[in-house]
Amino acid sequence: MAGNKAVVYQGPGKVSVETIPYPTLELQDGPGVNPANVGRKVPHGVILKVVSTNICGSDQHMVRGRTTAPVGLALGHEITGEVIEVGPDVEFIKVGDLCSVPFNISCGRCRNCKEGKTGICLNVNPDRPGSAYGYVDMGGWVGGQSEFALVPYADWNLLKFPDKDQAMAKILDLTMLSDIFPTGFHGAFTAGTKPGSTVYIAGAGPVGLAAATSAQLLGAAVVIVGDLNAERLAQARSFGCETVDVSKGDPREQVEQILGVPEVDCAVDAVGFEARGHGAGAAHEAPATVLNSLMELTAAGGALGIPGLYVTGDPGAVDAAAKVGSLSISLGTGWAKSLSFTTGQCPVMRYHRGLMQAILHDKVQIGKNVNATVIPLAEAPRGYSEFDQGASKKYVLDPHGLLS
């Protein structure tokens, strides 16, 4: 096959749909590919025909020019697809299988993978632990906002759906298993959410809404979502969450109006490094705001789940320290209150099978809760633009017209 249409980063504020090389079972050179990975053989991999692939807030950080992503990088790490070719070392995955792809690439062989820490695999990125498709500094594995995609270590990485027809009927839910549903669940779970918990989630974007859905699934008594965006707050209320408009000031007062006390048992940061201030400062970027406010909001002995992205290189940061990921965090507050923190990539494989079962057995409607919205691959630039402007939608790209 000659080509492969894909969403490509063209510089700050711009993406386009271009033809990139059709994937093979060997890593080729290209934008963002680590030189040590060029020529890497992938006999354990498969080629997927991409059925659905989603636009993620993490992609948006790159497109805004807030990372060191190179021009020409093929984007996309949320992939669901049908296997159309298998490598000679693939034993259990077969041509025709419909599968979810964890966004973090892992080998299944290293110490971290064997301990379930698949977000920090030691063997797939020559620069540092952890890797992902179509993402800056993640080893150069080509992105999956495309017609076809390569998945390495397929027997280990892929989650096969047990029934293709059943899966296609629920594809707008199942497509969230590659990233945001496990990531939101990871945030709520590592924050200690359990039956009867009160939970505050900072951010009503798709990951925040997935975290809110997950907190409900875990049995929380009250789930409160804070944001600046009225449309996104309305989406949170549509499935039973309480909401806080942080443009009106510190969330503690509004939380107290809801709960009777100005604190919660558990807190989740689903915002990350592009956080803005509260109240009168809401229009100004203040990257430590969310972390500091969550430490104030969380009861002593509680925990913070931090699936929101923080980076070590941000060319557009508000100050020199933030440009290298150094934020003014009140660690003394966290220490004094004995708070626990969990950061980093979600280890998707820890959760995705159980969340698949919850979807297939009608225990959760994650696609509805995040307002999954299907658009053709050709319209990806519009999806990126509208998402960047605050649309309360989770855009799902349909490369082959299989979702309509």
Side-chain angles (χ1 to χ4, degrees):
M1 297 187 185
N4 178 21
K5 292 189 184 302
V7 181
V8 175
Y9 174 61
Q10 298 291 8
K14 186 178 180 183
V15 299
S16 62
V17 178
E18 307 289 342
T19 298
I20 66 171
Y22 186 84
T24 66
L25 299 176
E26 178 180 319
L27 272 183
Q28 308 297 318
D29 198 5
V33 178
N34 189 299
N37 264 351
V38 174
R40 185 170 182 167
K41 307 291 186 184
V42 192
H44 41 69
V46 301
I47 308 300
L48 293 183
K49 178 180 180 179
V50 178
V51 171
S52 63
T53 177
N54 317 323
I55 296 175
C56 180
S58 299
D59 299 320
Q60 202 66 271
H61 292 306
M62 288 189 291
V63 173
R64 290 184 187 125
R66 298 299 298 268
T67 72
T68 56
V71 170
L73 182 71
L75 301 172
H77 55 270
E78 300 190 11
I79 310 164
T80 304
E82 180 183 357
V83 177
I84 58 172
E85 180 183 343
V86 299
D89 291 352
V90 177
E91 186 174 0
F92 303 111
I93 294 293
K94 305 298 182 187
V95 170
D97 288 346
L98 183 61
C99 304
S100 177
V101 184
F103 79 88
N104 27 40
I105 304 166
S106 56
C107 71
R109 295 152 164 79
C110 71
R111 172 181 175 176
N112 283 351
C113 285
K114 289 179 179 180
E115 292 178 353
K117 303 171 185 174
T118 55
I120 45 174
C121 174
L122 300 174
N123 288 332
V124 286
N125 183 356
D127 280 339
R128 64 186 189 198
S131 189
Y133 303 89
Y135 212 84
V136 59
D137 296 332
M138 287 292 182
W141 300 88
V142 178
Q145 286 173 11
S146 56
E147 294 176 307
F148 303 96
L150 165 67
V151 175
Y153 304 102
D155 282 327
W156 165 255
N157 279 307
L158 290 178
L159 174 66
K160 175 186 170 182
F161 300 135
D163 183 281
K164 286 176 70 173
D165 291 338
Q166 180 193 31
M168 287 303 295
K170 294 180 179 290
I171 193 65
L172 293 189
D173 298 298
L174 294 171
T175 191
M176 306 304 166
L177 290 175
S178 57
D179 183 355
I180 69 160
F181 196 10
T183 293
F185 191 91
H186 183 61
F189 182 78
T190 57
T193 306
K194 59 187 178 183
S197 295
T198 56
V199 184
Y200 180 85
I201 294 162
V207 169
L209 297 174
T213 301
S214 300
Q216 292 175 337
L217 195 60
L218 288 164
V222 184
V223 180
I224 306 170
V225 180
D227 205 293
L228 302 162
N229 183 314
E231 184 182 348
R232 289 180 171 183
L233 290 174
Q235 183 65 27
R237 289 192 295 272
S238 75
F239 59 95
C241 300
E242 300 285 348
T243 58
V244 162
D245 182 349
V246 297
S247 70
K248 296 179 179 178
D250 189 300
R252 283 168 59 87
E253 277 189 27
Q254 295 175 71
V255 167
E256 186 170 17
Q257 290 171 7
I258 295 167
L259 297 177
V261 293
E263 63 182 18
V264 292
D265 300 320
C266 315
V268 178
D269 174 3
V271 177
F273 72 104
E274 288 191 68
R276 297 185 178 275
H278 296 156
H284 304 292
E285 191 167 304
T289 297
V290 169
L291 291 171
N292 286 331
S293 70
L294 294 189
M295 285 190 277
E296 293 287 348
L297 267 174
T298 306
L304 275 63
I306 310 174
L309 176 67
Y310 289 87
V311 296
T312 57
D314 175 8
V318 293
D319 56 46
K323 286 183 178 180
V324 293
S326 180
L327 309 182
S328 183
I329 297 171
S330 179
L331 188 59
T333 300
W335 190 93
K337 296 176 76 173
S338 294
L339 300 177
S340 301
F341 303 81
T342 301
T343 66
Q345 284 189 38
C346 163
V348 170
M349 293 176 69
R350 191 176 299 173
Y351 308 110
H352 65 173
R353 184 174 297 278
L355 295 176
M356 175 188 74
Q357 292 289 85
I359 290 168
L360 293 178
H361 293 282
D362 299 317
K363 299 302 181 185
V364 66
Q365 292 181 300
I366 184 64
K368 175 176 177 288
N369 289 4
V370 301
N371 196 15
T373 302
V374 178
I375 60 175
L377 185 69
E379 294 185 23
R382 173 177 69 84
Y384 269 94
S385 177
E386 292 178 0
F387 189 38
D388 192 48
Q389 293 167 32
S392 184
K393 297 177 180 179
K394 176 66 172 177
Y395 286 100
V396 178
L397 303 178
D398 184 8
H400 296 279
L402 300 173
L403 307 186
S404 56

